[in-house]
Amino acid sequence: MPLANTSFTEKAWRLSPMYLLYFTLFGVFVPYIARFLTVNGLTEQEASTIIAVVNGVNVFAPFLFSVAADRSGRRLFYIRLGYVGMGVFYLLALAGSGFWYYLTVFGLFGIFLSAVLPQMEAITLAILGRERSRYGQIRFWGSLGFVVVVWSLGFLLETYSVSILPIAGGVLSLLMFLSTFLIPEQKKSALPAVSKVETGPSTLQMDRPQIAILLAVIFCWQIGMAPYNTFFDLFLRLQGFSTTSIGFLISFGAICEIFIFIYISRLFNHFSERHLMSFALLVTVLRWLIMARFADSFVIVLLLQSLHALTFGLVHSVAVHRIAHLFPANKASLGQGMYVAFGSGAGLFVGNLLAGWLWQGTGFIYLQAAMWSLLALLLTWFGFKDKHPIGIGDTSQ
């Protein structure tokens, strides 16, 4: 029996390990890459350049696999290829040193890291089919893995050297590769049938204006997220927070994010994508405005971190859900690739450049983040068109 025709429980236990391990690896890399590079002799400026390149490859990397995967239908093959590339290039970080060496190694690592995610999202949504509104219950395992590894490595790095990071990355890449064998390969001819109710036939005409509006919203939203991703740690240090408190606050935000992934299917059954996205972006505007003014209060920052469930978790879930029915089945990987390219690629790249240029050690960078989030909100409210209630066809509880 095809996996798409099995129970949600069967789908979940086969798909969840892939997300758990991928975002655990994400947690090994993203929070600690700067520490790894500076401990190995690079300056902060050199480290930031390498990190910018890793973000920048998201503009084109998702499409490296997407076109081939959509044409062949062999998405799992490209996922496995990407996992091997990630493990090899992360481990190679132990084999050399210097700015140009690390730029090459981590740039190539970033390409594979970015290229596999759209394939993961496309195959997951294809398998979920009519139950795609329960995507968050699969994705939340990724957030759980991220939280656990960030906390664990924080303690381990007090005792062990940063060399454990590439070793952990290599081991996780191997486990990710093995986890894909829990998922049967989807034949190309079967893809339209699996997604027929949800996305229509593979020849369905795409609604290009709605796709353009969604990508513009994602772009503006990620520009607003960039100061949080890049300068949150430094900003809170200037407010007098300890390193331990900052680590707790970052992890707390990710923990709150998990809950939205668990309950997102219920929201999809009662509210339209337009209303959910608009509400989440309104909260995002308020979050950055308050952060700019009251970041010296631990209690207020803690409350603001709880909003990460909405300002990231809900926005991400709605975006992935919307892409799933704006793109026909035979272009599913392209759709997810465009999400990564416009968001994690172009959005974060531009956002990080703006935040760096505007950085003064004050809350001004969060004021401009609120401005970009407001623009995303206006585009959503006046631009999104919902053709039918989200709950139609869903079988989630």
Side-chain angles (χ1 to χ4, degrees), residues 2 38 55 63 99 118 128 160 172 174 181 195 253 280 293 299 314 325 337 354 382 385 392:
T38 53
N55 283 327
F63 303 107
F99 172 77
L128 289 178
Y160 300 98
L172 285 167
L174 174 61
F181 290 96
S195 303
R293 178 63 180 84
V299 173
L314 183 55
H325 64 74
L354 283 174
F382 293 105
K385 294 180 180 178
I392 292 177

Short mmCIF file of all heavy atoms in Angstrom, two decimals, residues 2 38 55 63 99 118 128 160 172 174 181 195 253 280 293 299 314 325 337 354 382 385 392:
data_model
loop_
_atom_site.label_atom_id
_atom_site.label_comp_id
_atom_site.label_asym_id
_atom_site.label_seq_id
_atom_site.Cartn_x
_atom_site.Cartn_y
_atom_site.Cartn_z
N PRO A 2 0.61 2.21 -0.89
CA PRO A 2 1.39 3.46 -0.90
C PRO A 2 1.29 4.17 0.45
O PRO A 2 0.24 4.15 1.11
CB PRO A 2 0.73 4.27 -2.01
CG PRO A 2 0.03 3.26 -2.87
CD PRO A 2 -0.40 2.18 -1.94
N THR A 38 35.93 31.56 14.84
CA THR A 38 36.81 32.47 15.60
C THR A 38 37.81 31.71 16.45
O THR A 38 38.97 32.12 16.58
CB THR A 38 35.98 33.42 16.47
OG1 THR A 38 35.07 32.66 17.29
CG2 THR A 38 35.17 34.39 15.62
N ASN A 55 24.13 32.02 4.06
CA ASN A 55 22.75 32.48 3.86
C ASN A 55 22.48 32.81 2.40
O ASN A 55 21.41 32.50 1.86
CB ASN A 55 22.47 33.73 4.72
CG ASN A 55 22.24 33.39 6.17
OD1 ASN A 55 21.71 32.34 6.50
ND2 ASN A 55 22.66 34.28 7.05
N PHE A 63 17.12 25.49 -6.07
CA PHE A 63 16.72 25.11 -7.42
C PHE A 63 17.67 24.08 -8.04
O PHE A 63 17.35 23.52 -9.08
CB PHE A 63 16.66 26.36 -8.30
CG PHE A 63 15.73 27.40 -7.77
CD1 PHE A 63 16.21 28.57 -7.20
CD2 PHE A 63 14.36 27.21 -7.81
CE1 PHE A 63 15.35 29.53 -6.69
CE2 PHE A 63 13.48 28.17 -7.30
CZ PHE A 63 13.99 29.33 -6.76
N PHE A 99 40.73 31.45 6.06
CA PHE A 99 39.49 32.05 5.59
C PHE A 99 38.98 31.41 4.30
O PHE A 99 37.82 31.01 4.21
CB PHE A 99 39.69 33.56 5.37
CG PHE A 99 38.53 34.23 4.71
CD1 PHE A 99 37.37 34.52 5.43
CD2 PHE A 99 38.56 34.57 3.36
CE1 PHE A 99 36.28 35.13 4.81
CE2 PHE A 99 37.48 35.18 2.74
CZ PHE A 99 36.33 35.46 3.47
N PRO A 118 13.67 21.90 0.34
CA PRO A 118 12.47 21.90 -0.50
C PRO A 118 12.02 20.49 -0.90
O PRO A 118 10.82 20.23 -1.03
CB PRO A 118 12.90 22.70 -1.74
CG PRO A 118 14.02 23.56 -1.27
CD PRO A 118 14.74 22.74 -0.25
N LEU A 128 1.33 13.46 2.82
CA LEU A 128 0.23 13.83 3.70
C LEU A 128 -1.06 13.99 2.93
O LEU A 128 -2.14 13.67 3.43
CB LEU A 128 0.56 15.12 4.45
CG LEU A 128 1.64 15.01 5.54
CD1 LEU A 128 1.90 16.37 6.16
CD2 LEU A 128 1.22 14.01 6.61
N TYR A 160 34.54 20.30 26.03
CA TYR A 160 35.21 19.79 24.83
C TYR A 160 35.46 20.94 23.84
O TYR A 160 34.82 22.00 23.90
CB TYR A 160 34.35 18.72 24.16
CG TYR A 160 34.08 17.52 25.05
CD1 TYR A 160 32.89 17.40 25.76
CD2 TYR A 160 35.04 16.52 25.19
CE1 TYR A 160 32.65 16.31 26.58
CE2 TYR A 160 34.81 15.42 26.00
CZ TYR A 160 33.62 15.33 26.69
OH TYR A 160 33.38 14.25 27.50
N LEU A 172 25.23 13.04 12.37
CA LEU A 172 23.83 13.35 12.09
C LEU A 172 23.50 13.19 10.61
O LEU A 172 22.42 12.73 10.25
CB LEU A 172 23.52 14.78 12.55
CG LEU A 172 23.37 14.96 14.07
CD1 LEU A 172 23.38 16.44 14.43
CD2 LEU A 172 22.09 14.30 14.57
N LEU A 174 24.83 11.07 8.55
CA LEU A 174 24.70 9.64 8.30
C LEU A 174 23.34 9.14 8.78
O LEU A 174 22.65 8.38 8.06
CB LEU A 174 25.81 8.88 9.02
CG LEU A 174 25.72 7.35 8.98
CD1 LEU A 174 25.77 6.84 7.54
CD2 LEU A 174 26.85 6.72 9.81
N PHE A 181 15.32 5.81 4.35
CA PHE A 181 14.88 4.48 3.92
C PHE A 181 13.59 4.05 4.62
O PHE A 181 13.05 2.98 4.32
CB PHE A 181 16.00 3.47 4.14
CG PHE A 181 17.16 3.67 3.19
CD1 PHE A 181 18.26 4.41 3.59
CD2 PHE A 181 17.13 3.19 1.90
CE1 PHE A 181 19.33 4.64 2.72
CE2 PHE A 181 18.18 3.40 1.03
CZ PHE A 181 19.29 4.13 1.44
N SER A 195 -1.80 14.00 -5.05
CA SER A 195 -2.10 15.38 -4.70
C SER A 195 -3.31 15.93 -5.44
O SER A 195 -3.58 17.12 -5.41
CB SER A 195 -0.87 16.27 -4.99
OG SER A 195 0.23 15.79 -4.31
N GLY A 253 12.08 30.47 22.98
CA GLY A 253 11.35 30.83 21.78
C GLY A 253 11.10 29.62 20.89
O GLY A 253 10.01 29.45 20.33
N ALA A 280 -0.68 36.72 12.49
CA ALA A 280 0.70 36.43 12.88
C ALA A 280 1.62 37.62 12.57
O ALA A 280 2.50 37.96 13.37
CB ALA A 280 1.20 35.18 12.16
N ARG A 293 11.94 48.99 22.44
CA ARG A 293 11.79 49.94 23.55
C ARG A 293 12.04 49.34 24.92
O ARG A 293 12.56 50.01 25.83
CB ARG A 293 10.38 50.54 23.50
CG ARG A 293 10.04 51.51 24.62
CD ARG A 293 10.92 52.75 24.58
NE ARG A 293 10.60 53.67 25.67
CZ ARG A 293 11.09 53.56 26.91
NH1 ARG A 293 11.95 52.59 27.20
NH2 ARG A 293 10.74 54.44 27.84
N VAL A 299 11.54 39.99 31.97
CA VAL A 299 10.16 39.49 31.91
C VAL A 299 9.52 39.84 30.58
O VAL A 299 8.86 39.00 29.95
CB VAL A 299 9.33 40.08 33.07
CG1 VAL A 299 7.86 39.69 32.92
CG2 VAL A 299 9.86 39.59 34.41
N LEU A 314 3.78 30.15 13.04
CA LEU A 314 2.53 30.27 12.30
C LEU A 314 2.76 30.80 10.88
O LEU A 314 2.16 30.30 9.92
CB LEU A 314 1.56 31.19 13.06
CG LEU A 314 0.17 31.35 12.44
CD1 LEU A 314 -0.50 30.00 12.23
CD2 LEU A 314 -0.70 32.24 13.33
N HIS A 325 -0.81 24.41 -2.40
CA HIS A 325 -1.93 24.41 -3.35
C HIS A 325 -1.83 25.51 -4.41
O HIS A 325 -2.65 25.55 -5.32
CB HIS A 325 -3.28 24.49 -2.61
CG HIS A 325 -3.52 25.75 -1.84
ND1 HIS A 325 -3.82 26.94 -2.43
CD2 HIS A 325 -3.52 25.99 -0.50
CE1 HIS A 325 -4.01 27.86 -1.52
NE2 HIS A 325 -3.82 27.32 -0.33
N GLY A 337 11.19 25.40 -3.23
CA GLY A 337 12.49 26.02 -3.49
C GLY A 337 12.39 27.53 -3.56
O GLY A 337 13.27 28.25 -3.06
N LEU A 354 21.08 45.11 5.89
CA LEU A 354 20.45 46.30 6.46
C LEU A 354 20.73 46.42 7.96
O LEU A 354 21.05 47.50 8.46
CB LEU A 354 18.95 46.26 6.22
CG LEU A 354 18.45 46.62 4.82
CD1 LEU A 354 16.95 46.38 4.71
CD2 LEU A 354 18.78 48.07 4.48
N PHE A 382 -4.38 42.84 1.93
CA PHE A 382 -4.99 43.35 0.71
C PHE A 382 -4.71 42.48 -0.52
O PHE A 382 -5.36 42.66 -1.55
CB PHE A 382 -4.50 44.78 0.44
CG PHE A 382 -4.98 45.78 1.45
CD1 PHE A 382 -4.11 46.27 2.41
CD2 PHE A 382 -6.30 46.19 1.46
CE1 PHE A 382 -4.55 47.19 3.36
CE2 PHE A 382 -6.75 47.11 2.41
CZ PHE A 382 -5.87 47.60 3.36
N LYS A 385 -5.93 36.00 -1.55
CA LYS A 385 -7.27 35.59 -1.91
C LYS A 385 -7.44 34.12 -1.53
O LYS A 385 -6.68 33.27 -1.98
CB LYS A 385 -7.52 35.77 -3.41
CG LYS A 385 -7.52 37.23 -3.86
CD LYS A 385 -7.79 37.33 -5.36
CE LYS A 385 -7.79 38.79 -5.81
NZ LYS A 385 -8.00 38.91 -7.28
N ILE A 392 -11.91 22.32 4.22
CA ILE A 392 -12.53 21.43 3.22
C ILE A 392 -11.56 20.35 2.79
O ILE A 392 -10.45 20.61 2.37
CB ILE A 392 -13.02 22.23 2.00
CG1 ILE A 392 -14.20 23.12 2.41
CG2 ILE A 392 -13.42 21.33 0.87
CD1 ILE A 392 -14.72 24.00 1.31
#
